[in-house]
């Protein structure tokens, strides 16, 4: 099925990075110096009571996945990307810098037992087992996923709002951001032996972004438990941001005072910012973000501001210069 996927029109990250890796020997890489230039403003207050979920609860059961994979469309009328594509075209640098080999490389990834430690600036720090996480009331969310590499998919996720988890630990008033960490286990994740990157993968959100009802922790897709290649057993989904914010196989969530420095900000600080809101008007330094290729389609489509979720989230950024805070 790999043949169904047209080649990327842009330079894949790995080619660029391997070039950089080559240049590093010549002392051409001075990455970290720019990190302090990433100023982050004081967050706006968190929105009040998020709207009730629209879809009926659809827990990703551990037992007997359905044999029939249903299909549908998002609210714009665009079809779900086929299950086989969603689960075979993956970005997951812990397993491979190429997309197609990830599923095979991750197939034996151990997701039980699994514990997620939630702490930092909270009243009630606590460890959640996977079974406890699966007990949060789940919903199905049909979301567009727009990768910074300018391709996109439509994915039917199963999960629960991150806000519900955060409510249980009771963030303190000083908590302004949420920091997420992927499992660090080079024995299982061969990519983590690559010294070019600083492991584990880290991502972050402003607290009000984290509390927004669109932000979910996914435990499944297509009504099945999340496959390892898609971030099992638990990954973040923030549909108005570029896909690299969707940190996979989360083991640690901390409420913090300062903006976390993400994996991609560390790896390539001039190219990847903290916010990473989908924005057709702000080009990546190496390509335009004005259009995208929906996987399975031949012609390109226009990229929508905030990936089509502007109505729900634009208010979070009122008064901010989104060219500066990219
Ligand atoms: N831990 C971890 N999380 C990650 C990545 C990664 O390399 N490692 N890649 C990100 C990127 S760039 C994208 S586009 C999405 C892809 O999610 P998918 O493979 O489920 O489509 O995962 C994100 N989460
Ligand atoms: Mo991505």
């Amino acid at each position: 099925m790999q043949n169904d996927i047209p080649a990327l029109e842009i330079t894949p990250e790995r080619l660029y990075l391997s070039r950089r890796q080559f240049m590093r020997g010549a002392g051409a890489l001075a990455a970290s110096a720019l990190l302090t230039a990433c100023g982050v403003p004081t967050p706006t207050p968190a929105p009040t009571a998020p709207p009730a979920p629209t879809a009926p609860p659809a827990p990703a059961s551990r037992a007997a996945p359905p044999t029939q994979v249903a299909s549908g469309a998002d609210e714009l009328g665009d079809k779900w990307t086929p299950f086989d594509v969603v689960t075979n075209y993956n970005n997951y640098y812990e397993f491979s810098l190429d997309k197609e080999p990830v599923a095979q490389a991750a197939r034996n990834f151990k997701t039980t037992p699994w514990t997620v430690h939630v702490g930092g600036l909270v009243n009630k720090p606590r460890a959640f087992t996977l079974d406890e996480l699966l007990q949060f009331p789940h919903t199905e969310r049909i979301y567009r996923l727009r990768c910074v590499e300018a391709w996109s998919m439509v994915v039917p996720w199963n999960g629960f709002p991150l806000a519900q988890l955060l409510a249980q630990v009771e963030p303190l008033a000083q908590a302004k951001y949420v920091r997420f960490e992927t499992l660090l286990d080079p024995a299982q994740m061969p990519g983590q032996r690559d010294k070019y990157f600083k492991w584990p993968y880290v991502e972050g959100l402003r607290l009000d972004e984290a509390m927004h009802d669109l932000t979910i922790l996914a435990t499944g897709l297509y009504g099945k438990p999340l496959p390892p290649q898609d971030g099992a057993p638990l990954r973040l989904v923030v549909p108005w941001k570029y896909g690299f914010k969707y940190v996979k196989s989360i083991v640690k969530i901390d409420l913090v005072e300062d903006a976390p420095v993400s994996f991609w900000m560390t790896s390539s600080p001039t190219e990847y910012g903290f916010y990473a809101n989908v924005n057709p008007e702000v080009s990546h330094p190496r390509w335009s973000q004005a259009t995208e290729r929906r996987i399975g389609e031949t012609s390109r489509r226009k990229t929508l501001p905030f990936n089509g979720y502007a109505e729900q989230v634009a208010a979070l950024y009122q008064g901010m210069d989104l060219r500066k805070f990219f």
Side-chain angles (χ1 to χ4, degrees), residues 90-94 147 182 201 230 235 243-244 246 248:
N90 299 103
N91 270 336
Y92 204 166
Y93 278 25
E94 285 84 343
C147 174
T182 292
Y201 198 99
D230 287 287
R235 63 96 59 87
F244 67 84
Y246 300 27
K248 293 178 171 179

Side-chain angles (χ1 to χ4, degrees), residues 86 89-94 145-149 151 153 155 157 182 189 199 201 221 229-231 235 242-249 263-264:
V86 175
Y89 189 77
N90 299 103
N91 270 336
Y92 204 166
Y93 278 25
E94 285 84 343
L145 184 165
R146 171 50 159 91
C147 174
V148 74
E149 296 167 329
W151 53 264
M153 297 182 179
V155 183
W157 301 105
T182 292
M189 296 170 139
W199 306 102
Y201 198 99
L221 54 80
Q229 61 269 33
D230 287 287
R235 63 96 59 87
Y242 291 117
F244 67 84
K245 299 295 286 185
Y246 300 27
V247 47
K248 293 178 171 179
S249 51
F263 176 85
W264 279 107

Side-chain angles (χ1 to χ4, degrees), residues 28-268:
L29 190 66
S32 52
L34 289 164
L35 271 181
T36 48
C38 296
V40 177
T42 312
T44 51
T48 45
T54 46
S61 159
R62 298 276 115 188
T67 45
Q68 199 80 32
V69 171
S71 68
D74 67 9
E75 83 283 10
L76 304 178
D78 294 317
K79 283 204 179 71
W80 300 355
T81 301
F83 178 82
D84 284 349
V85 176
V86 175
T87 56
N88 285 284
Y89 189 77
N90 299 103
N91 270 336
Y92 204 166
Y93 278 25
E94 285 84 343
F95 289 101
S96 171
L97 303 187
D98 287 309
K99 293 174 176 60
E100 285 82 4
V102 171
Q104 171 75 5
R107 73 193 183 286
N108 293 324
F109 182 62
K110 205 170 170 297
T111 57
T112 46
W114 194 272
T115 308
V116 181
H117 293 269
V118 188
L121 300 170
V122 300
N123 256 327
K124 297 180 173 167
R126 142 162 206 211
F128 292 85
T129 65
L130 183 54
D131 283 340
E132 288 168 335
L133 294 166
L134 289 169
Q135 274 157 36
F136 280 91
H138 277 54
T139 60
E140 180 175 71
R141 297 286 177 91
I142 318 300
Y143 285 157
R144 293 168 289 287
L145 184 165
R146 171 50 159 91
C147 174
V148 74
E149 296 167 329
W151 53 264
S152 61
M153 297 182 179
V154 178
V155 183
W157 301 105
N158 309 99
F160 58 93
L162 173 61
Q164 291 182 10
L165 179 81
L166 297 181
Q168 292 214 355
V169 296
E170 299 176 7
L172 300 172
Q174 310 98 278
K176 298 284 187 280
Y177 295 90
V178 186
R179 183 183 182 278
F180 305 84
E181 242 182 65
T182 292
L183 176 71
L184 181 64
D185 185 356
Q188 280 205 87
M189 296 170 139
Q192 291 181 338
R193 296 173 217 152
D194 182 344
K195 296 284 193 294
Y196 173 76
F197 295 105
K198 187 168 175 275
W199 306 102
Y201 198 99
V202 169
E203 259 304 340
L205 294 173
R206 219 168 58 188
L207 185 55
D208 58 342
E209 297 175 325
M211 296 296 289
H212 195 284
D213 181 61
L214 287 183
T215 305
I216 62 165
L217 287 169
T219 61
L221 54 80
Y222 268 95
K224 303 170 183 237
L226 212 54
Q229 61 269 33
D230 287 287
L234 187 79
R235 63 96 59 87
L236 184 68
V237 175
V238 201
W240 71 94
K241 294 178 180 282
Y242 291 117
F244 67 84
K245 299 295 286 185
Y246 300 27
V247 47
K248 293 178 171 179
S249 51
I250 298 167
V251 292
K252 201 163 178 283
I253 301 177
D254 283 313
L255 283 287
V256 295
E257 195 164 352
D258 300 314
V261 178
S262 71
F263 176 85
W264 279 107
M265 289 164 74
T266 306
S267 304
S268 198

